[in-house]
């Protein structure tokens, strides 16, 4: 903060205090208050500075004292070396005296070693009895420290003896000693196993209240660590010698001992023991199909944070040791979960547990969770989020592939009828299962409150759904072509399966609105717009696929009535029209569909079916050998349309029926009723309603009229062509039903 801004804050504060006139009378009291606060602050600062200066002075004096002691020690060592050199010169037989002294020392050491070897068996038996007595009579192990003290002395004796034997050239000495120390070695290993077994069951001892044994175990570990530190210091001194003549001064007792690294091994035991508990929890989850229980982790950490620090040396920092181990195991558990076929509910369990875990640290831990390694990485870029996102993308692709393959297999083979839902509507089971899984996963990601996860998962869902839609289009087209080319060789039931697929895709569009749309507000702002665009494309894809299913059913119906349609407008048609057969076929399909089709889709099917009947009827104009016998043709056409209206009128509203069959009236009845003087008017009426009606249809009707002479017909055709040239066409106009009747390469009016 700048000086100017600081002054401004002070001025504002004073102005606030003096905002009323009566505050001037309180000015002196405010000044006294500020002065008291300033004096208190100055005193605190002075005290802290004095403490800091005192600490610095003590440190400086300690360094000086250490330097003086080191110099004094070096002088004493040099003086001793000088005396030795002088003794060599003053005493004529000094080498002989030195040799005799060495022999005497060696003989004494040998005698002591023999005595200790003789007592070795007795000493080991005493230690074994002490341990056995504790194990059988007192679980608090009162003799544990005493046994460790005696065992440590025997170990030191063994190490020194083996070291001296290694200096001899005879191998039989080492072999003999190894045999002599075999019982001690076995006892030593047994004792170590006992200590490490207590380490393995440390928390179990806490739960039963056996804290005395825990204290003794930590004291033993502390003693072993102290011995290791001493050995390291000796070895460090030996490695830092600058003069070979200084070697005798660092040939200290204990240098033959081997490092035991008890604390490191104890921490490894803690790690293995805790990892086994995590592994057992994971195994129970996999084998028993139960929830992944992790509440015990917080209970254990409660002991580690509140009880263990009172039982162990502060140098061990036991609370943090256990915290690091549990966090490492938790991170590994997360990795196991995301690398396995883990249910989505388990991920939700893990995410919620991580929240509880962090809250627990905030309330109970003597340090921050951010100090621990490895970090949890449960944020938006953490391993739990990344792996869950990766796994979800992978799994949803696998699920969709499996379900798609099974659904396609059922669709292609058609060995049985499609599944029926509770409303009696056809459906393909794989689609429902797929959306159930999607709904489950979306529910999970919604509860993570993680925008990156939500965005990534939704994007993956959209991609998979759009890919499935494209695959289904190909399958549906292929199966329809097989049916239309040779229905007898194709498996039956294509109409039912198309109906089921159309039902499912319409349901999918509804599922999208009900399930996914509400999760978009949880996505990141930068991606929400793209996701909504992809969402709209996916919903449109499901609706389109449902429409394709309906249209292919209509194509099947049209294919079934194709032979009957081929006789339309032939001479025999006037005496016996096949329109009843055509209408009855449509009615049979309608009855089948109304029973097993979802209501909203059935309305679409009725509209497409009625349009298909109109289109196929008008296409009959292109039949070979057609004739239009004036009033007779008009009467027969009206009769055919009446049959169709009666059939569809049971299910469709009157206004829809009129719009559906109006093209027949505008084109056929209009052109058949037209005369030379009125043909232009009838043509304009047609154009006003159906701008894209093919010119070829109009000409075909006029040219095949038998109630007019050829000259009149040619004139009427010429009038129609002239009127057509005058009419403006707009390519942006919405296509009408006549766009589906236009022959290939034909030009609309």
């Amino acid at each position: 903060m700048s000086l100017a801004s600081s002054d401004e804050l002070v001025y504002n504060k004073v102005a606030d205090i003096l905002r009323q006139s009566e505050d001037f009378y309180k000015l002196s009291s405010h000044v006294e208050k500020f002065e008291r606060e300033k004096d208190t602050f100055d005193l605190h600062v002075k005290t802290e500075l004095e403490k800091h200066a005192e600490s610095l002075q003590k440190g400086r004096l300690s360094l000086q004292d250490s330097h003086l002691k080191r110099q004094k020690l070096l002088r004493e060592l040099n003086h001793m070396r000088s005396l030795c050199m002088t003794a060599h010169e003053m005493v004529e037989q000094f080498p002989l005296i030195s040799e005799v002294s060495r022999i005497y020392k060696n003989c004494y050491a040998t005698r002591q070693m023999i005595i200790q070897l003789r007592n070795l068996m007795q000493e080991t038996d005493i230690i074994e009895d002490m341990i056995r007595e504790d194990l059988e009579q007192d679980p608090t192990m009162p003799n544990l420290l005493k046994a460790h003290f005696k065992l440590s002395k025997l170990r030191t004796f063994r190490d020194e003896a083996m070291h001296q034997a290694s200096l001899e050239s005879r191998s039989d000495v080492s072999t003999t000693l190894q045999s002599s120390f075999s019982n001690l070695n076995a006892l030593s290993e047994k004792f170590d196993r006992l200590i490490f077994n207590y380490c393995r069951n440390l928390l179990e001892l806490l739960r039963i209240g056996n804290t005395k044994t825990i204290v003794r175990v930590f004291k033993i570990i502390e003693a072993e660590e102290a011995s290791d530190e001493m050995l390291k210091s000796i070895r460090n001194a030996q490695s830092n010698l600058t003069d070979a003549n200084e070697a005798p001064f660092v040939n200290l007792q204990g240098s033959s001992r081997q490092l035991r690294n008890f604390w490191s091994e104890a921490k490894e035991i803690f790690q293995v023991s805790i990892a086994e508990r995590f592994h057992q929890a994971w195994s129970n989850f996999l084998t028993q199909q139960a929830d992944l229980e992790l509440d015990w982790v917080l209970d254990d950490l409660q002991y580690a944070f509140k009880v263990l620090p009172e039982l162990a040396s502060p140098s061990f920092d036991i609370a943090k040791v256990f915290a690091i181990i549990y966090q490492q195991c938790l991170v590994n558990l997360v990795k196991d979960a995301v690398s396995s076929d883990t249910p989505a509910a388990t991920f939700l369990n893990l995410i919620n547990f991580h929240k509880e875990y962090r809250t627990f640290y905030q309330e109970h831990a003597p340090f921050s969770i951010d100090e621990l390694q490895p970090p949890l990485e449960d944020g938006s870029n953490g391993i739990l989020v990344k792996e869950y996102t990766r796994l979800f993308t992978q799994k949803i692709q696998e699920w969709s592939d499996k379900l798609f393959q099974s659904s396609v297999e059922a669709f292609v083979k058609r060995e049985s009828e499609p599944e029926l839902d509770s409303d009696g509507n056809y459906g393909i089971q794989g689609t429902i299962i797929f959306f159930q899984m999607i709904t489950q996963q979306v529910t999970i990601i919604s509860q993570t409150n993680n925008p990156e996860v939500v965005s990534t998962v939704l994007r993956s869902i959209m991609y998979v759904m759009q890919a499935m839609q494209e695959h289904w289009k190909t399958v549906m087209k292929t199966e329809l072509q097989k049916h239309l080319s040779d229905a007898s060789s194709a498996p039956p039931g294509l109409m039912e399966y198309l109906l089921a697929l159309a039902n499912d895709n319409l349901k999918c569009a509804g599922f999208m609105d009900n399930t996914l749309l509400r999760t978009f507000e949880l996505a990141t702002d930068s991606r929400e717009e793209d996701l909504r665009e992809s969402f709209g494309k996916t919903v449109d894809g499901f609706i389109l696929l449902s429409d394709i299913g309906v249209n292919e059913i209509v194509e099947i119906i049209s294919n079934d009535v194709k032979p009957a349609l081929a006789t339309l407008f032939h001479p025999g048609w006037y005496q016996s029209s096949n329109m009843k057969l055509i209408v009855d076929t449509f009615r049979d399909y309608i009855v089948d569909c109304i029973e097993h089709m979802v209501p909203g889709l059935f309305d679409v099917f009725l509209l497409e079916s009625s349009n298909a009947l109109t289109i196929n009827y008008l296409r009959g104009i292109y039949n070979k050998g057609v004739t239009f016998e004036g009033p007779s043709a008009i009467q027969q056409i009206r009769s055919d349309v009446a049959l169709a209206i009666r059939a569809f009128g049971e299910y469709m509203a009157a206004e829809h029926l009129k719009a559906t069959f109006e093209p027949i009236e505008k084109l056929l009845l209009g052109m058949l009723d037209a005369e030379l003087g009125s043909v232009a008017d009838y043509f304009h009426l047609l154009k006003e309603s159906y701008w894209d009606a093919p010119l070829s249809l109009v000409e075909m009707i006029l040219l095949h009229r038998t109630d007019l002479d050829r000259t009149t017909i040619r004139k009427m055709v010429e009038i129609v062509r002239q009127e057509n040239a005058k009419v403006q066409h707009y390519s942006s106009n919405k296509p009408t039903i006549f766009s589906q009747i236009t022959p290939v390469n034909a030009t609309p009016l």
Side-chain angles (χ1 to χ4, degrees):
M1 182 180 294
S2 65
L3 183 60
S5 60
S6 177
D7 291 343
E8 184 179 354
L9 290 175
V10 173
Y11 296 151
N12 291 337
K13 180 66 175 178
V14 173
D16 183 60
I17 294 175
L18 305 178
R19 66 186 181 277
Q20 295 182 5
S21 59
E22 60 267 20
D23 289 337
F24 284 102
Y25 299 104
K26 303 177 183 178
L27 184 59
S28 59
S29 63
H30 286 306
V31 171
E32 292 176 0
K33 176 183 177 183
F34 290 151
E35 288 179 348
R36 287 195 302 271
E37 291 178 354
K38 178 180 179 299
D39 292 340
T40 303
F41 179 75
D42 291 343
L43 179 62
H44 176 72
V45 171
K46 181 180 179 181
T47 304
E48 291 298 323
L49 288 175
E50 289 176 351
K51 290 181 180 179
H52 184 64
E54 184 180 352
S55 298
L56 288 176
Q57 181 65 17
K58 287 182 179 179
R60 187 176 65 83
L61 293 175
S62 297
L63 287 175
Q64 290 178 351
D65 185 56
S66 299
H67 180 70
L68 292 174
K69 288 180 179 179
R70 180 177 178 276
Q71 293 296 327
K72 182 179 179 181
L73 180 60
L74 288 176
R75 286 196 301 270
E76 293 293 335
L77 290 173
N78 289 330
H79 179 63
M80 292 174 63
R81 184 188 306 165
S82 177
L83 290 176
C84 289
M85 296 299 295
T86 304
H88 278 275
E89 296 173 357
M90 293 174 60
V91 181
E92 295 181 359
Q93 295 182 342
F94 184 83
L96 179 60
I97 295 173
S98 178
E99 181 67 18
V100 171
S101 176
R102 188 182 66 82
I103 292 172
Y104 174 78
K105 290 180 180 178
N106 288 343
C107 289
Y108 180 79
T110 302
R111 182 172 178 274
Q112 291 298 115
M113 183 177 293
I114 292 172
I115 293 173
Q116 288 180 294
L117 284 172
R118 287 175 178 173
N119 296 332
L120 183 62
M121 184 65 70
Q122 181 182 356
E123 292 291 332
T124 55
D125 289 343
I126 292 174
I127 295 172
E128 285 186 335
D129 291 341
M130 294 169 64
I131 296 174
R132 186 184 306 109
E133 180 182 348
D134 282 356
L135 291 174
E136 293 176 355
Q137 298 180 10
D138 193 342
T140 63
M141 303 297 290
N143 292 317
L144 193 62
L145 291 178
K146 188 185 298 183
H148 176 258
F149 177 74
K150 289 180 174 292
L151 184 59
S152 297
K153 291 177 64 177
L154 294 180
R155 284 169 174 165
T156 302
F157 165 63
R158 176 198 61 189
D159 295 340
E160 188 66 29
M162 295 303 299
H163 175 68
Q164 294 297 329
S166 66
L167 301 178
E168 300 291 335
S169 59
R170 295 170 54 187
S171 60
D172 59 330
V173 176
S174 297
T175 304
T176 302
L177 287 176
Q178 285 284 6
S179 176
S180 300
F181 290 127
S182 59
N183 288 340
L184 175 60
N185 293 336
L187 176 61
S188 179
E189 292 177 1
K190 180 179 179 181
F191 187 86
D192 290 350
R193 286 197 300 270
L194 177 65
I195 298 301
F196 290 140
N197 185 59
Y198 283 131
C199 291
R200 183 175 294 104
N201 298 285
L202 194 67
L203 293 174
E204 199 61 39
L205 291 174
L206 278 177
R207 292 188 186 94
I208 63 176
N210 191 356
T211 57
K212 293 182 179 180
T213 300
I214 296 175
V215 171
R216 295 184 174 102
V217 168
F218 279 124
K219 286 296 182 182
I220 291 172
I221 296 175
E222 187 177 357
E224 292 290 344
E225 283 297 294
S227 298
D228 281 355
E229 289 299 321
M230 182 182 297
L231 178 58
K232 291 176 183 178
S233 299
I234 293 173
R235 290 180 177 178
N236 185 54
Q238 291 174 335
S239 64
N240 291 331
L241 289 177
T242 58
D243 190 343
N245 293 325
E246 297 178 3
F249 299 109
V250 291
N251 188 18
L252 303 176
Q253 184 179 7
S255 60
S256 59
R257 182 180 181 274
Q258 298 298 318
L259 288 173
R260 291 172 57 75
N261 297 317
F262 237 55
W263 179 229
S264 296
E265 291 194 37
K267 288 190 289 186
E268 291 181 5
I269 294 296
F270 297 153
Q271 175 80 41
V272 172
S273 175
I274 296 169
E276 286 176 354
R277 292 203 66 189
F278 274 90
H279 178 72
Q280 185 62 44
W282 182 248
S283 299
N284 292 340
F285 161 71
L286 294 177
T287 57
Q288 300 177 11
Q289 301 297 317
D291 292 337
L292 182 59
E293 293 292 341
L294 294 175
D295 292 339
W296 55 269
V297 173
L298 303 183
D299 296 336
D300 288 358
L301 288 174
Q302 184 77 13
Y303 282 114
F305 293 161
K306 301 300 182 183
V307 183
L308 280 182
E310 300 177 358
L311 308 178
S313 171
S315 62
F316 290 156
D317 199 5
I318 192 68
K320 183 165 287 188
V321 167
F322 271 79
I324 292 173
I325 293 174
Y326 274 92
Q327 186 143 315
Q328 177 67 68
C329 291
L330 183 58
V331 169
N332 292 339
L333 179 70
V334 170
K335 292 179 180 179
D336 290 339
V338 297
S339 62
S340 306
D341 190 12
T342 307
T346 303
F347 286 104
L348 178 60
N349 191 1
L350 282 171
I351 292 170
N352 291 336
F353 178 77
H354 275 70
K355 294 179 181 178
E356 296 178 17
Y357 184 79
R358 284 189 174 274
T359 302
F360 175 84
Y361 264 82
Q362 293 173 358
E363 297 175 353
H364 301 286
F367 43 80
S368 172
I369 194 174
D370 297 327
E371 299 177 22
L372 304 180
Q373 293 295 330
L376 283 179
E377 295 189 89
D378 53 345
S380 60
N381 296 319
I383 186 173
L384 185 60
V385 172
K386 288 183 178 179
E387 289 298 315
Y388 170 68
T389 303
R390 180 194 63 80
L391 181 63
F392 178 84
T393 304
Q394 174 185 333
K395 289 299 181 183
I396 194 176
Q397 188 65 58
E398 293 176 1
W399 296 335
S400 62
D401 289 344
K402 290 179 181 179
L403 291 171
F404 177 75
Q405 292 300 329
S406 62
S407 299
V408 167
E409 183 178 1
F411 184 87
V412 171
K413 291 183 178 180
R414 302 191 287 277
E415 296 174 345
S416 60
E417 284 193 355
E419 299 282 342
L420 289 173
D421 63 12
S422 57
D423 296 324
N425 300 322
Y426 280 142
I428 298 178
Q429 192 66 24
T431 305
I432 305 303
I433 295 174
F434 177 73
F435 256 93
Q436 287 174 345
M437 291 187 296
I438 292 297
T439 302
Q440 184 185 39
Q441 298 303 316
V442 169
T443 301
I444 291 173
I445 64 169
S446 299
Q447 298 180 16
T448 63
N449 294 322
N450 191 310
E452 290 295 331
V453 176
V454 173
S455 300
T456 304
V457 169
L458 289 177
R459 189 166 57 252
S460 300
I461 292 174
M462 303 300 173
Y463 173 80
V464 170
M465 288 181 175
Q466 292 173 17
M468 289 179 63
Q469 292 169 0
E470 294 301 318
H471 292 326
W472 269 119
K473 289 178 185 178
T474 303
V475 172
M476 294 166 69
K477 182 178 180 181
T478 301
E479 290 303 305
L480 179 65
Q481 290 174 346
K482 291 179 182 178
H483 179 86
L484 297 181
S485 60
D486 187 3
S488 60
S489 63
L494 179 59
M495 188 278 292
E496 287 80 1
Y497 272 86
L498 287 171
L499 192 157
L501 196 60
N503 283 343
D504 286 346
N505 279 278
L506 192 62
K507 291 179 182 178
C508 288
F511 287 153
M512 292 282 289
D513 285 330
N514 297 330
T515 305
L516 297 184
L517 189 59
R518 63 175 179 267
T519 63
F520 276 61
E521 60 186 19
L522 302 176
T524 54
D525 294 338
S526 59
R527 297 184 179 181
E528 183 177 358
E529 185 176 350
D530 293 338
L531 284 173
R532 290 189 180 277
E533 181 179 350
S534 181
F535 175 84
K537 181 179 179 181
T538 306
V539 172
D540 292 343
F542 282 124
I543 295 175
L544 176 61
L545 208 56
S546 180
D547 290 342
I548 291 174
V550 170
N551 290 332
E552 291 194 356
I553 293 174
V554 172
E555 284 193 56
I556 292 175
I557 302 173
S558 300
N559 187 67
D560 287 352
V561 298
K562 186 182 293 185
L565 291 169
T567 63
L568 287 177
F569 314 129
H570 283 195
W573 170 69
Y574 292 92
Q575 286 76 36
S576 177
S577 173
N578 287 330
M579 192 61 181
K580 186 176 186 307
L581 175 62
I582 296 170
V583 169
D584 287 345
T585 303
F586 272 88
R587 182 186 287 110
D588 291 340
Y589 277 97
I590 291 173
V591 171
D592 291 339
C593 288
I594 195 174
E595 185 177 356
H596 301 297
M597 186 176 282
V598 295
L601 190 61
F602 181 70
D603 295 335
V604 176
F605 169 71
L606 284 176
L607 181 61
E608 294 297 328
S609 298
S610 58
N611 285 339
L613 180 56
T614 301
I615 291 168
N616 284 310
Y617 195 84
L618 293 175
R619 282 176 178 165
I621 298 171
Y622 291 111
N623 290 338
K624 293 182 179 180
V626 300
T627 58
F628 295 105
E629 299 177 1
S632 298
I634 292 174
Q635 181 180 356
Q636 188 58 53
I637 290 171
R638 292 187 186 279
S639 176
D640 289 348
V641 171
L643 285 174
I645 289 176
R646 281 197 297 272
F648 284 93
E650 299 177 19
Y651 311 99
M652 295 178 65
E655 60 270 18
H656 291 158
L657 283 173
K658 180 180 179 182
T660 298
F661 295 105
E662 187 182 53
I664 298 177
E665 178 183 351
K666 294 284 186 180
L667 177 64
L668 271 171
L669 297 182
M671 290 300 107
L672 290 177
D673 190 51
E675 300 292 342
L676 186 60
S678 61
V679 68
D681 294 332
Y682 277 110
F683 177 75
H684 279 289
L685 289 175
L686 176 66
K687 281 290 295 176
E688 289 174 0
S689 300
Y690 307 99
W691 66 271
D692 55 353
L695 178 60
S696 58
L697 277 176
V698 178
E699 293 181 348
M700 286 289 290
I701 296 171
L702 294 176
L703 291 173
H704 289 84
R705 286 182 62 172
T706 60
D707 60 323
L708 299 174
D709 59 81
R710 304 309 296 173
T711 302
T712 303
I713 291 175
R714 282 196 294 270
K715 290 180 179 180
M716 292 175 70
V717 169
E718 186 62 29
I719 291 173
V720 168
R721 290 177 177 175
Q722 291 175 1
E723 292 299 319
N724 176 60
K726 298 177 183 178
V727 177
Q728 294 182 351
H729 302 287
Y730 301 96
S731 59
S732 59
N733 287 349
K734 183 178 179 180
T736 71
I737 193 173
F738 281 99
S739 64
Q740 302 178 57
I741 307 174
T742 306
V744 179
N745 298 327
T747 303
L749 293 180

